[in-house]
Amino acid sequence: MEDCPVTKTVYFAIKRLDRNENEPSIVLPVILGADDKVSEVTQILRDKLGINSSDIILRLRNYRGSIIPLNGRVTELSNTHSRPLMLEVVRHFQSVQPNPISYELTQYTEPLTRKLQDVEDRISLLEDSVGNLHENRKDKVHQEISKLENTVNFLRKRIEEAESIEWNGMFVKNPLCTAITV
């Protein structure tokens, strides 16, 4: 036996703020399923109210005036025709005036200019060094060659000194002969 989706009648007091109505105009009973998603509930309410514009937003408020999600879980809330949930119909940016998009970050201006200056300095150093690259490479090669020549000369001298040393043996005198005297 299949589980039937649980449905319940939910009462919405409709406040059309898009038409400058400050008080609820009607109480609308709507049958919703407990597992309905936000898009499904929103579409049901838009169809019931005859709203086709995408510029219109539906906001649901509980008894305390807090905004709550507009999904199937509203069926779990206890409401009646005399105590309905408040559904506000508003236009985009109706209660606030949006500021134009601004990419200016005033708190980051100084650090960003310092970093930009640092990058520019590094780029100019690289550009200057590219012109002298061949000369710098030649200087580095000459330095390395002179270090190697100095090392080879040092080793040659040590080898020549080692070749000129003569080996006379281990002892000059026999140690046993001098130790035994009768």
Side-chain angles (χ1 to χ4, degrees):
M1 187 171 182
E2 292 183 20
D3 292 332
C4 295
V6 177
T7 59
K8 186 176 176 186
T9 302
V10 180
Y11 296 93
F12 296 100
I14 309 300
K15 188 187 281 189
R16 295 295 302 251
L17 296 174
D18 62 330
R19 296 180 183 166
N20 296 326
E21 297 176 3
N22 292 328
E23 295 297 321
S25 56
I26 59 169
V27 175
L28 183 67
V30 178
I31 297 173
L32 298 176
D35 57 348
D36 286 349
K37 295 184 167 81
V38 175
S39 58
E40 295 169 348
V41 174
T42 303
Q43 190 58 46
I44 291 169
L45 289 170
R46 283 180 180 273
D47 292 343
K48 288 266 189 183
L49 294 171
I51 299 172
N52 296 327
S53 174
S54 63
D55 187 43
I56 301 295
I57 298 172
L58 303 177
R59 289 191 305 211
L60 183 62
R61 295 187 181 270
N62 62 8
Y63 313 112
R64 295 182 301 251
S66 302
I67 293 179
I68 59 174
L70 187 59
N71 57 22
R73 298 199 57 192
V74 295
T75 59
E76 298 171 7
L77 301 174
S78 62
N79 70 352
T80 60
H81 190 277
S82 60
R83 190 173 172 186
L85 296 172
M86 182 66 62
L87 182 69
E88 297 175 347
V89 180
V90 295
R91 290 184 313 273
H92 276 288
F93 306 118
Q94 180 172 337
S95 56
V96 295
Q97 184 63 34
N99 292 332
I101 296 174
S102 172
Y103 295 109
E104 183 177 337
L105 302 172
T106 55
Q107 67 269 27
Y108 297 116
T109 304
E110 186 178 329
L112 286 177
T113 54
R114 273 189 271 135
K115 284 189 177 201
L116 181 62
Q117 185 62 40
D118 182 45
V119 169
E120 287 176 350
D121 292 344
R122 291 172 61 191
I123 289 173
S124 65
L125 283 173
L126 282 172
E127 287 173 346
D128 292 342
S129 67
V130 167
N132 301 330
L133 189 62
H134 290 296
E135 293 175 18
N136 292 342
R137 185 177 293 159
K138 285 180 184 177
D139 291 341
K140 183 69 173 173
V141 168
H142 287 296
Q143 288 174 0
E144 292 294 324
I145 289 173
S146 66
K147 283 182 186 178
L148 286 173
E149 285 177 349
N150 291 338
T151 306
V152 168
N153 289 336
F154 175 78
L155 290 173
R156 185 176 294 132
K157 285 181 185 178
R158 292 298 175 243
I159 290 172
E160 288 174 1
E161 288 175 4
E163 287 177 352
S164 65
I165 297 176
E166 293 179 13
W167 181 254
N168 293 329
M170 189 170 183
F171 301 106
V172 177
K173 282 184 173 180
N174 189 352
L176 294 177
C177 293
T178 55
I180 305 175
T181 50
V182 198

